[in-house]
Amino acid sequence: NIHERALELEGRKQIRSAVIDIPAFPSYHEWIGIDFSKLSDAVADSYPPRATLGRYLKERFETLAKPLLDGNWVTLIEEKVIQVDVLESKKLQIKSNRAVYKDVDELLLTIGHQPTELTEEMISWEKYSSQNENVTLFKNAYPVKAFLYNNALDQNATVAVRGFGLAMIDVVRAIAEKFGAFTRIDEDTHACNYHSELNIKGMIVPFSLDGLPPVPKPFNAAIDVQFKPSDVQLEQYGKTISQTTLQNEANSPSFLLAAFAPIAAQVFINLNHKVAVDKTAKELETIIMRWLEDPTKDYEGMVPLNASAVVMMQNYVDMATGKAPVSLDYCIGQVWRHCQPTMYEKLSFNKCSDEVFASIIEIDEQSKRFSYGPPVAAIQQLLALIEHGILSIDFLKEPEIELTNAGWKFIKNKKDKIITILIDSVLDAPKVDEVSSPLVEHLLDSDIITAVHDELGIDIKESGLVCSEIETDICSIALLGRLAKGTVIGVDAMLECFGPRPKKWATAAAKRHTLLIKNYSNEI
């Protein structure tokens, strides 16, 4: 859900020394062979499939790893780590599903999505599906082949998808393409039709807590640039929110919202094609702050929350393609997206209280329906499936669900439907206290890692080292990535994986490694 124009992943320079030669590797833009500086802003943004970006990352890693492996500088051990302990020597012991590795000096955890404790509802569904041969439960949306090639998924199946976000789109599209095909009918809007030879009306039934659809990003650079703050605005925004005095004294996210609101208000005022809103700039700023704090409220100039999902999706598609005036909520969401990199940089390792930072992260998470939205083409596909009838939104918002012998019975507005397959597309939040993997559970139980907040991830230092209840100044345990959410912000963004945090860890780790070598040399 990130367009290739924004995937400015720098290339790797050649690394050559007396003992090793690691070849250079191109930037992502060089690798795909597109010079975006020469591409017209009117060209529709391209969004790479996961497999394409995965191939780039895999090739990049392999060209780094191969000379290191060939030279015996690196050993690749393909095992599942289930436990890490700190020894009396202050070194580490790593236990895998096959072996135990002792006297480890440094450990970097880069674990992503981890399994979490099941909710009571999911536990009941799991038990129900295990005892009923008429139903099938998939607790994860990925890999899609797990359900796509399951015998239960035939033309007579009815599939409920829990969630109405990006993963839901992947699930729905995969199922739809198994039984039919999309045909694009308009290159200017990526509108499409769906066709299937089979009678599969009402096959797919998404459902969620709020029933609100994901919002597409602008169609191309020419439309997107309208929402981009100026360099001066972004610089001032960064300076303001990075002030340690403001962070220390903050008892709410208001300092962040107060810095953002004038930018969003000015961008909205400057739009040539927007929904008419009879408000002054100051009044707009107040509305923007209130809406970000509570996006469940309706305000003038916004798409009504009580509109149907189809109406909402079509409205947002029209805005994203420049065919309709821009609403205030759409504008705020896109401006927030442009401000996110600055916010991620300036508010990671901040001086805010844990409660205030947790509130900031919650606001950013709420914004992702807009700021992390899919391409226009994805929403057009959902609209085509609804038009065709394969995708039913009759039970979208909080349906009543009964467990029957025939299947899950969905009930909403005097309608009901029997579901034979249920797929959970809701990705677990990085709430470390609810992670159920043996590795993380043991680290927590042993006080090697601590949660920064009840609702968030692991407490780490700027160097990446974990904040621990035990003495870990000699042995080094560090963490990067998703489970650090709460100390840092923006851990889910691809660009952040190539940002300053891994580099800070690598610099500090290299110094520690050099010191270890010197100490070892002195000992012998």
Side-chain angles (χ1 to χ4, degrees):
N1 66 316
I2 181 170
H3 47 71
E4 289 183 306
R5 175 169 50 86
L7 275 172
E8 295 178 334
L9 303 179
E10 292 182 358
R12 183 183 68 234
K13 295 180 180 179
Q14 183 183 28
I15 304 168
R16 176 180 287 176
S17 70
V19 293
I20 197 75
D21 186 5
I22 296 173
F25 197 81
S27 69
Y28 180 77
H29 286 176
E30 291 171 329
W31 184 78
I32 61 173
I34 299 177
D35 184 351
F36 284 90
S37 66
K38 296 180 180 179
L39 203 63
S40 168
D41 287 350
V43 173
D45 280 328
S46 55
Y47 290 75
R50 293 175 190 269
T52 300
L53 188 55
R55 190 164 64 251
Y56 170 79
L57 296 173
K58 185 172 185 286
E59 289 179 11
R60 182 169 179 150
F61 169 75
E62 287 176 343
T63 59
L64 171 69
K66 188 177 186 305
L68 294 170
L69 288 164
D70 291 345
N72 292 321
W73 291 89
V74 163
T75 302
L76 179 62
I77 303 170
E78 296 185 70
E79 298 171 13
K80 182 178 180 179
V81 174
I82 56 178
Q83 188 169 311
V84 172
D85 291 292
V86 179
L87 305 175
E88 288 185 7
S89 64
K90 299 298 182 183
K91 291 198 175 186
L92 305 173
Q93 175 177 284
I94 298 176
K95 181 181 179 181
S96 79
N97 59 335
R98 297 180 185 174
V100 174
Y101 303 89
K102 296 183 178 180
D103 297 329
V104 175
D105 295 301
E106 178 105 12
L107 170 66
L108 172 65
L109 295 166
T110 57
I111 47 181
H113 287 278
Q114 296 291 291
T116 59
E117 296 174 2
L118 297 178
T119 62
E120 290 184 8
E121 184 177 51
M122 192 57 67
I123 290 172
S124 71
W125 289 349
E126 186 175 44
K127 181 180 178 180
Y128 164 66
S129 65
S130 68
Q131 298 174 346
N132 190 331
E133 62 181 13
N134 295 322
V135 300
T136 308
L137 173 68
F138 294 94
K139 292 180 288 184
N140 298 292
Y142 305 106
V144 295
K145 63 183 180 182
F147 58 83
L148 207 56
Y149 301 117
N150 189 283
N151 291 334
L153 183 59
D154 59 25
Q155 67 183 76
N156 298 312
T158 48
V159 186
V161 185
R162 179 174 177 258
F164 203 47
L166 298 174
M168 175 276 303
I169 294 175
D170 287 342
V171 170
V172 169
R173 179 166 45 211
I175 295 172
E177 290 180 335
K178 176 175 181 174
F179 297 104
F182 293 101
T183 303
R184 185 170 291 175
I185 57 176
D186 187 345
E187 289 299 328
D188 291 336
T189 64
H190 283 184
C192 62
N193 285 332
Y194 176 78
H195 177 72
S196 174
E197 297 290 343
L198 304 172
N199 181 17
I200 48 177
K201 301 290 185 181
M203 170 183 266
I204 309 173
V205 182
F207 67 104
S208 69
L209 288 176
D210 60 19
L212 297 175
V215 177
K217 289 189 180 75
F219 188 65
N220 57 32
I223 296 171
D224 191 25
V225 74
Q226 304 173 90
F227 305 106
K228 186 176 182 180
S230 68
D231 291 342
V232 172
Q233 285 175 315
L234 286 174
E235 183 180 0
Q236 184 57 51
Y237 173 70
K239 284 181 179 179
T240 301
I241 65 174
S242 63
Q243 292 179 35
T244 54
T245 303
L246 270 179
Q247 296 174 1
N248 267 316
E249 296 176 353
N251 54 20
S252 76
S254 295
F255 78 97
L256 170 66
L257 302 184
F260 171 80
I263 300 174
Q266 193 57 55
V267 169
F268 184 74
I269 289 170
N270 291 344
L271 289 175
N272 293 322
H273 195 37
K274 60 178 179 289
V275 173
V277 179
D278 187 19
K279 301 291 181 184
T280 65
K282 284 296 181 184
E283 288 172 332
L284 281 174
E285 291 174 24
T286 300
I287 291 172
I288 290 166
M289 292 178 67
R290 288 177 178 171
W291 183 76
L292 285 168
E293 289 175 326
D294 184 4
T296 65
K297 299 286 180 64
D298 271 325
Y299 293 96
E300 182 184 351
M302 297 186 177
V303 174
L305 293 171
N306 61 0
S308 73
V310 172
V311 169
M312 295 179 82
M313 286 191 286
Q314 189 61 63
N315 283 353
Y316 288 130
V317 162
D318 291 342
M319 295 177 209
T321 54
K323 308 299 182 185
V326 174
S327 65
L328 180 56
D329 54 330
Y330 187 81
C331 176
I332 297 169
Q334 303 316 310
V335 177
W336 186 271
R337 171 172 54 86
H338 282 293
C339 289
Q340 274 173 328
T342 302
M343 179 179 66
Y344 292 164
E345 176 188 355
K346 302 300 183 182
L347 288 186
S348 291
F349 306 105
N350 60 67
K351 302 300 181 183
C352 297
S353 69
D354 292 344
E355 289 297 328
V356 169
F357 195 34
S359 297
I360 289 172
I361 290 173
E362 183 179 4
I363 289 171
D364 187 49
E365 289 296 313
Q366 291 172 166
S367 82
K368 287 182 178 179
R369 188 167 77 92
F370 290 85
S371 60
Y372 275 42
V376 166
I379 302 299
Q380 294 282 36
Q381 288 175 334
L382 293 183
L383 290 170
L385 293 175
I386 294 170
E387 175 68 22
H388 180 271
I390 182 178
L391 185 65
S392 168
I393 57 172
D394 290 339
F395 307 90
L396 188 54
K397 183 178 179 181
E398 289 190 290
E400 180 185 346
I401 302 175
E402 295 179 359
L403 309 184
T404 72
N405 289 333
W408 287 274
K409 185 177 182 180
F410 278 40
I411 306 169
K412 181 82 175 178
N413 297 329
K414 298 182 178 180
K415 294 183 178 180
D416 62 77
K417 190 175 187 67
I418 295 295
I419 300 297
T420 58
I421 297 175
L422 195 150
I423 302 170
D424 187 2
S425 75
V426 178
L427 302 181
D428 295 317
K431 184 177 177 181
V432 70
D433 283 343
E434 291 187 358
V435 170
S436 60
S437 67
L439 171 62
V440 175
E441 284 185 331
H442 181 76
L443 289 171
L444 279 171
D445 292 343
S446 304
D447 293 328
I448 296 172
I449 61 175
T450 59
V452 69
H453 185 276
D454 289 345
E455 299 294 322
L456 296 170
I458 297 167
D459 197 5
I460 65 170
K461 304 172 184 176
E462 286 201 52
S463 62
L465 294 175
V466 300
C467 298
S468 177
E469 295 293 329
I470 64 174
E471 193 65 40
T472 56
D473 58 337
I474 298 175
C475 69
S476 299
I477 303 174
L479 175 117
L480 294 172
R482 180 173 172 78
L483 282 184
K485 181 175 285 187
T487 309
V488 297
I489 185 171
V491 292
D492 292 322
M494 172 59 66
L495 296 178
E496 296 298 318
C497 297
F498 287 81
R501 294 166 203 158
K503 293 174 183 175
K504 281 186 178 181
W505 168 79
T507 300
K511 289 179 180 178
R512 289 192 294 272
H513 190 61
T514 302
L515 183 60
L516 276 172
I517 293 172
K518 287 181 179 178
N519 290 340
Y520 180 73
S521 299
N522 291 335
E523 288 175 4
I524 61 173

